[in-house]
């Protein structure tokens, strides 16, 4: 089988590590291997998932210990969190992280801190909904908030951000519709009152959400600024029917955003073929495989087959969507490379690609496409 271990990875979408890197209780550790927010799932069912059981065996081999949760936890605790992260990122040959820091709290390291701790490059991604929530808390009037939002998005590159990111799929769905400014302003007024009472807001109101995403797309069009969209599965507060990437087709067909690179995340799992079609048809759509890899375990080679069967290798990006602990980064890189090598090997055996072409495709997917798309200078 092809050996892809020496090909470096640009992890173009991930999240920050926890400041508290352990030791964890069994249930605390198990929650990192589930998308569920239910403690019962973490405590009772996650230990019986293939993701967790396979992960324990992989980590046991790395730590040279017995392949049991207790032995792995003991071996893990014997290493400092910083040393563990260094070891796993180096072993995974991950050289760059593009970090969405909007999914974090004070419990997580900042991207500036991670730059000093990890053996790889770290660049930030600006999450639109998190930005808007902070500005709603800060400003009293809608026009003030909107001006600050537009300025932050317009200056995203100047402030070091390599991309924008939207979680519209989580909040109100990908069927993003034109919204009148008056509608958005009315929602803001209600949210501002909520902010006064609670000291926090959650932006989940369609007219305002859509209005702000479309303003960001207008700026992205002027600057050719990539924007990542969550698509497909995720936490259990998500309406999967509204996370189908086909909902974005009216935006793609409008002609208004042809200069915006749409980066559609998570292979849109289970809408993999739908996303593969969009990336194969629209020049400004890219397909990402993170989160699906590593979570779908045995299905990873099938995912690669569905992606590569239709989508040009120049349109495919690799990420881990990992967060909190280095093990998820390490497993995603390990299983992602293994599955990709297996499927590219099949293409060589079939005669569809030469071995040289297969290796070139792997280099495109694992780092070259992201380096070019996000204009990552050496």
């Amino acid at each position: 089988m092809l050996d892809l271990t020496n090909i470096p990875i640009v992890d173009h979408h991930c999240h920050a590590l926890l400041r508290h890197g352990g030791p964890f209780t069994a249930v605390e550790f198990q929650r990192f291997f589930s998308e569920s927010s239910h403690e019962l799932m973490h405590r009772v069912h996650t230990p019986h998932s293939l993701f967790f059981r396979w992960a324990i065996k992989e980590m046991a081999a790395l730590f040279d210990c017995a392949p049991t949760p207790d032995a792995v936890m003991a071996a893990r605790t014997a290493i400092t969190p910083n040393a563990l992260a260094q070891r796993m990122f180096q072993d995974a040959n991950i050289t760059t992280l593009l970090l969405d820091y909007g999914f974090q709290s004070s419990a997580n390291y900042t991207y500036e801190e991670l730059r000093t701790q990890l053996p790889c490059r770290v660049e930030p991604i600006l999450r639109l909904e998190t930005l808007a929530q902070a500005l709603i808390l800060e400003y009293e009037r809608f026009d003030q908030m909107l001006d600050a939002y537009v300025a932050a998005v317009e200056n995203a590159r100047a402030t070091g951000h390599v991309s924008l990111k939207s979680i519209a799929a989580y909040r109100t769905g990908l069927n993003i519709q034109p919204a009148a400014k008056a509608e958005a302003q009315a929602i803001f007024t209600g949210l501002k009152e909520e902010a006064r009472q609670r000291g926090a807001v959650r932006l989940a109101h369609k007219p305002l959400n859509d209005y702000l995403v479309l303003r960001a797309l207008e700026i992205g069009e002027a600057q050719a600024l990539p924007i990542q969209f969550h698509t497909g599965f995720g936490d259990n507060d998500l309406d999967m029917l509204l996370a189908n990437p086909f909902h974005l087709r009216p935006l793609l067909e409008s002609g208004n955003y042809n200069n915006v690179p749409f980066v559609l995340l998570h292979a849109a799992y289970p809408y993999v073929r739908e996303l593969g079609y969009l990336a194969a048809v629209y020049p400004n759509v890219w397909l990402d495989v993170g989160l699906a890899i590593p979570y779908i375990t045995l299905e990873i080679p099938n995912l690669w087959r569905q992606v590569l069967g239709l989508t040009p290798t120049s349109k495919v990006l690799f990420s881990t969507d990992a967060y909190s602990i280095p093990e998820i980064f390490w497993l995603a890189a390990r299983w992602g490379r293994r599955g990709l090598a297996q499927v590219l090997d099949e293409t060589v055996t079939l005669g569809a690609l030469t071995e040289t072409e297969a290796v070139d495709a792997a280099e495109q997917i694992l780092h070259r496409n992201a380096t070019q798309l996000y204009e990552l200078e050496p």
Side-chain angles (χ1 to χ4, degrees), residues 205-225:
H205 304 76
K206 191 165 178 58
L208 181 54
N209 278 56
D210 289 359
Y211 184 84
L212 293 175
V213 169
L214 291 173
R215 288 302 304 268
L217 283 171
E218 291 171 7
I219 296 165
E221 175 68 12
Q223 298 186 14
L225 182 62

Side-chain angles (χ1 to χ4, degrees), residues 11 13-17 89 94 97-100 103 266 290-291 293-295 319-332:
D11 184 351
H13 179 78
C14 60
H15 306 279
L17 295 173
F89 277 89
I94 297 173
L97 303 180
L98 306 189
L99 194 138
D100 170 10
F103 173 68
H266 315 318
L291 186 62
I293 298 172
Y295 275 80
S319 77
T320 64
D321 195 41
Y323 72 104
S324 296
I325 59 172
E327 284 90 332
I328 308 301
F329 293 85
W330 180 74
L331 290 165

Side-chain angles (χ1 to χ4, degrees), residues 192-212:
K192 192 62 194 178
E193 184 59 34
E194 179 184 335
R196 294 188 187 101
Q197 294 176 8
R198 297 179 52 242
V201 294
R202 185 176 188 271
L203 183 57
H205 304 76
K206 191 165 178 58
L208 181 54
N209 278 56
D210 289 359
Y211 184 84
L212 293 175

Side-chain angles (χ1 to χ4, degrees), residues 76-148:
R76 185 185 193 281
T77 302
I79 308 171
T80 67
N82 188 56
L84 178 64
Q86 292 272 342
R87 180 177 180 182
M88 286 191 154
F89 277 89
Q90 287 172 345
D91 189 75
N93 197 9
I94 297 173
T95 58
T96 302
L97 303 180
L98 306 189
L99 194 138
D100 170 10
Y101 61 91
F103 173 68
Q104 68 181 66
S105 67
S106 59
N108 300 86
Y109 287 112
T110 66
Y111 67 87
E112 294 95 340
E113 289 171 323
L114 288 175
R115 283 173 171 166
T116 69
Q117 297 181 31
L118 296 178
C120 57
R121 178 180 182 178
V122 180
E123 303 293 351
I125 293 169
L126 181 62
R127 184 185 285 212
L128 297 174
E129 289 78 10
T130 303
L131 167 66
Q133 287 171 178
L135 296 176
I136 290 169
L137 292 175
E138 183 176 353
Y139 291 100
E140 290 298 318
R141 300 201 328 267
F142 177 72
D143 284 339
Q144 292 175 315
M145 184 278 295
L146 184 60
D147 288 346

